[in-house]
Structure formats: C-alpha cells, structure tokens
Amino acid sequence: MANILTITLNPTVDVASEAEAVRPTRKTRLTCTRYDPGGGGINVARVVKALGGDAEAVYLAGGEMGAFLDRLLGEEGLPRRS
C-alpha cells in the first residue's frame, strides 16, 4: 500500500482546447484538444507521484467516463482504485 492515500468523491476529466479566435455568432473551431484526469484527491496523488512520492488514488467512477478516467490514470502509471 502507498504511503499516501487520496480519496476523491467527485473526480473529473478536464478538457482543454485551443481556438484561433472566438467571435460572437460564429462557430468556434477547436484544435489540440487535451484530456486530463482531475479532482482534488486525484490531482494531489498526481503531484505527489510527479515529485517522487508514493501515492494511491481512490475515487468513485462509473460508466464510460469512469472507464476513460481510469484509462487516463493508467497511462500515467498512477496506482488507483475505483
């Protein structure tokens, strides 16, 4: 078991994109869309791991977004339980 255990009751998948311009009444085209796992405890566990610590994230997740969040955390190599 990890030295630090975080609990996230409201996890998220943060989405960020770039737009050349945002104008009223015109469609905004987005590029470079990025998805990151998020939520208080998940972010703490990610930072602890990035700084060389030992952390495990426990979070509530279900459905397709829960599977997507789990996959994102798996790609980062973060120990987790959902």
Side-chain angles (χ1 to χ4, degrees), residues 10 15 41 51 79:
N10 192 19
V15 182
L51 294 174

Side-chain angles (χ1 to χ4, degrees), residues 25-46:
T25 69
R26 294 208 176 159
K27 189 170 205 148
T28 303
R29 303 284 181 194
L30 301 176
T31 60
C32 302
T33 303
R34 177 180 166 153
Y35 300 93
D36 295 302
I42 288 174
N43 288 336
V44 169
R46 291 173 67 209

Side-chain angles (χ1 to χ4, degrees), residues 10-15 34-38 42 59-73 82:
N10 192 19
T12 65
V13 174
D14 299 327
V15 182
R34 177 180 166 153
Y35 300 93
D36 295 302
I42 288 174
Y59 55 94
L60 301 174
E64 286 192 39
M65 286 306 289
F68 184 50
L69 175 62
D70 192 57
R71 190 170 77 243
L72 289 172
L73 290 168
S82 60

Side-chain angles (χ1 to χ4, degrees), residues 5-18:
L5 183 69
T6 65
I7 300 173
T8 307
L9 299 178
N10 192 19
T12 65
V13 174
D14 299 327
V15 182
S17 297
E18 295 179 11

